[in-house]
Amino acid sequence: MKNRTLGSIFIVAGTTIGAGMLAMPLASAGVGFGVTLFMLIGLWALMCYTALLLVEVYQYGSADTGLGTLAKRYLGRYGQWLTGFSMLFLMYALTAAYISGAGELLAASLSHWLSMTVPPTSGVLLFTLVAGGIVCIGTHMVDMFNRVLFTAKIVLLIVMLALMMPHIHQTNLLTLPVEQGLALSAIPVIFTSFGFHGSVPSIISYMGGNLPKLRRVFIIGSAIPLVAYIFWQLATLGAIDGAAFDNLATQHSGLNGFLQVVHNVVATPKVGLAIQLFADFALATSFLGVSLGLFDYLADLFSRNRHISGRLQTGVMTFLPPLVFALFYPQGFVMALGYAGVALAVLALIIPSMLVWQSRKQHPERTFKVMGGKPLLATVFACGVIIVLIQLSITVGVLPKVG
């Protein structure tokens, strides 16, 4: 594989495998490993399929075309508005969350290294300036930094798995603790863990619209997280018994409580360090992929050129709003993240199925066509609607919240 193909695979996988992976066992503990494995494979196949649907649509135009422009072409102005709202809502909320989280971690690290107090706001500003600058330079620069961070992240994941695997008990994996409502509640958590579709247009542009290579990029790039998630769930659900997860749920300990349980099971400080570093690198790679997708979407939406002045203008539009929210309105984007699954379902399932449905009407002669006709497209659309309804039910309290 040439450099851009490999780099694009890493961007897909790096965007997908985020710090949220650490919280996945909390969501899946109530349904058991068997059901979790089924959901992982099913939702991966669904998300990989819709990424390929977007590739099919892009064959009819320039690789530099933005998703908003495609939506207007095939779905009209209302389709463009739906796409734009979903993209901006999701990507701004995620970018604000990553800026806030990574900025606080950076401030804590600088305080430790410099033996002086560095306020979180300074960490947030420094992280936005450096990481945002990388995105503004271009996809090639994101590719270079992402390769280093993603490689380190995979090494740390292997270290975590190696430390936890010896503690797996078969009885923990064979239990089927399916509790009422938790199977449905776990779906959005796992679904959002495969979310990379905001960066799909950027990767298609980076690859010059090369259809065979793009197929490999999205299949392999999304399969890497699938394998990582399966082994992570195998290690955590196998090493931690149901009683420990029940205590976490009763005490509402969340992620910090889960990490403490992992530390108690493995009984070595190395696992704590590995998990902390993994979370740091996961935040960084997810930020690069998400903000790159947002940057390119805004550049297309406002017709900014690719010269220095145009990229600086797009950079301000990309990073200033989430930076303001991260600094002054932290509760605002935290609440917005509760609806991130809704925006992702629209962006990754509903919009691609509608785009392909319309594009196949207009272009009966196709160079590249993803398998499946109208019944499968209708099924994908229905899955998107179902996930939206499940996420909304969790948000308003009809279904129990997990994770």
Side-chain angles (χ1 to χ4, degrees):
M1 298 180 186
K2 291 187 177 180
N3 279 342
R4 289 202 173 195
T5 304
L6 182 63
S8 297
I9 288 172
F10 281 5
I11 290 175
V12 172
T15 304
T16 307
I17 304 176
M21 188 190 88
L22 299 175
M24 285 179 64
L26 296 172
S28 55
V31 298
F33 179 73
V35 176
T36 299
L37 180 62
F38 175 79
M39 288 194 292
L40 282 170
I41 295 174
L43 290 172
W44 163 77
L46 182 63
M47 296 293 268
C48 180
Y49 181 76
T50 56
L52 296 178
L53 289 181
L54 289 175
V55 174
E56 178 182 330
V57 176
Y58 264 91
Q59 72 180 303
Y60 307 123
S62 169
D64 295 331
T65 304
L67 191 59
T69 301
L70 281 181
K72 183 179 180 181
R73 180 186 305 170
Y74 293 111
L75 305 178
R77 188 164 299 278
Y78 290 112
Q80 184 186 31
W81 290 347
L82 178 63
T83 303
F85 178 79
S86 300
M87 173 71 86
L88 294 176
F89 183 91
L90 175 66
M91 306 298 258
Y92 271 133
L94 291 177
T95 302
Y98 293 142
I99 286 175
S100 178
E104 289 184 10
L105 291 173
L106 179 60
S109 298
L110 290 175
S111 298
H112 176 72
W113 296 334
L114 301 177
S115 299
M116 59 180 290
T117 301
V118 177
T121 53
S122 298
V124 167
L125 291 170
L126 180 60
F127 176 81
T128 305
L129 182 63
V130 174
I134 292 171
V135 174
C136 289
I137 291 173
T139 306
H140 181 72
M141 184 63 68
V142 172
D143 182 3
M144 294 298 102
F145 273 85
N146 185 74
R147 292 187 194 203
V148 176
L149 296 172
F150 180 76
T151 301
K153 184 164 67 173
I154 292 299
V155 170
L156 290 166
L157 177 60
I158 293 173
V159 170
M160 289 192 298
L161 293 175
L163 292 171
M164 296 184 67
M165 285 294 185
H167 301 276
I168 291 177
H169 298 286
Q170 187 177 8
T171 54
N172 293 338
L173 296 175
L174 295 178
T175 55
L176 192 64
V178 179
E179 300 176 26
Q180 185 176 8
L182 286 187
L184 287 176
S185 297
I187 289 176
V189 177
I190 297 176
F191 168 72
T192 53
S193 298
F194 286 106
F196 61 89
H197 291 62
S199 59
V200 167
S202 301
I203 292 171
I204 291 175
S205 175
Y206 188 50
M207 294 295 297
N210 188 306
L211 298 177
K213 290 181 179 179
L214 285 168
R215 290 177 63 185
R216 291 200 294 271
V217 164
F218 293 122
I219 292 173
I220 299 174
S222 61
I224 292 173
L226 173 65
V227 174
Y229 293 161
I230 290 174
F231 277 103
W232 176 243
Q233 297 285 51
L234 180 70
T236 53
L237 298 183
I240 302 172
D241 59 32
F245 279 114
D246 290 340
N247 289 335
L248 289 175
T250 301
Q251 299 172 7
H252 303 286
S253 302
L255 182 57
N256 289 331
F258 167 71
L259 296 180
Q260 184 58 48
V261 170
V262 171
H263 188 272
N264 294 339
V265 169
V266 179
T268 172
K270 294 180 181 178
V271 70
L273 177 61
I275 289 176
Q276 183 60 57
L277 290 175
F278 174 87
D280 293 347
F281 289 127
L283 273 174
T285 55
S286 295
F287 171 84
L288 289 175
V290 167
S291 58
L292 175 65
L294 177 60
F295 182 94
D296 286 343
Y297 179 82
L298 290 172
D300 172 72
L301 181 65
F302 294 101
S303 302
R304 297 297 92 184
N305 60 54
R306 295 181 176 271
H307 302 302
I308 294 177
S309 61
R311 300 193 74 85
L312 285 175
Q313 292 170 26
T314 306
V316 171
M317 292 186 291
T318 301
F319 297 110
L320 185 58
L323 176 62
V324 170
F325 269 89
L327 290 174
F328 300 107
Y329 306 102
Q331 293 305 313
F333 76 80
V334 170
M335 292 174 60
L337 286 174
Y339 295 92
V342 174
L344 180 61
V346 173
L347 188 66
L349 301 180
I350 294 176
I351 295 298
S353 61
M354 293 171 64
L355 285 173
V356 172
W357 187 290
Q358 293 298 324
S359 67
R360 287 180 180 178
K361 287 183 180 180
Q362 297 184 25
H363 306 280
E365 298 297 327
R366 295 173 290 270
T367 303
F368 168 67
K369 179 185 177 182
V370 184
M371 62 176 290
K374 290 183 177 180
L376 188 52
L377 292 178
T379 301
V380 171
F381 182 90
C383 288
V385 174
I386 290 170
I387 291 177
V388 167
L389 294 175
I390 292 174
Q391 181 66 70
L392 291 175
S393 298
I394 294 171
T395 304
V396 300
V398 175
L399 288 174
K401 185 178 180 180
V402 296

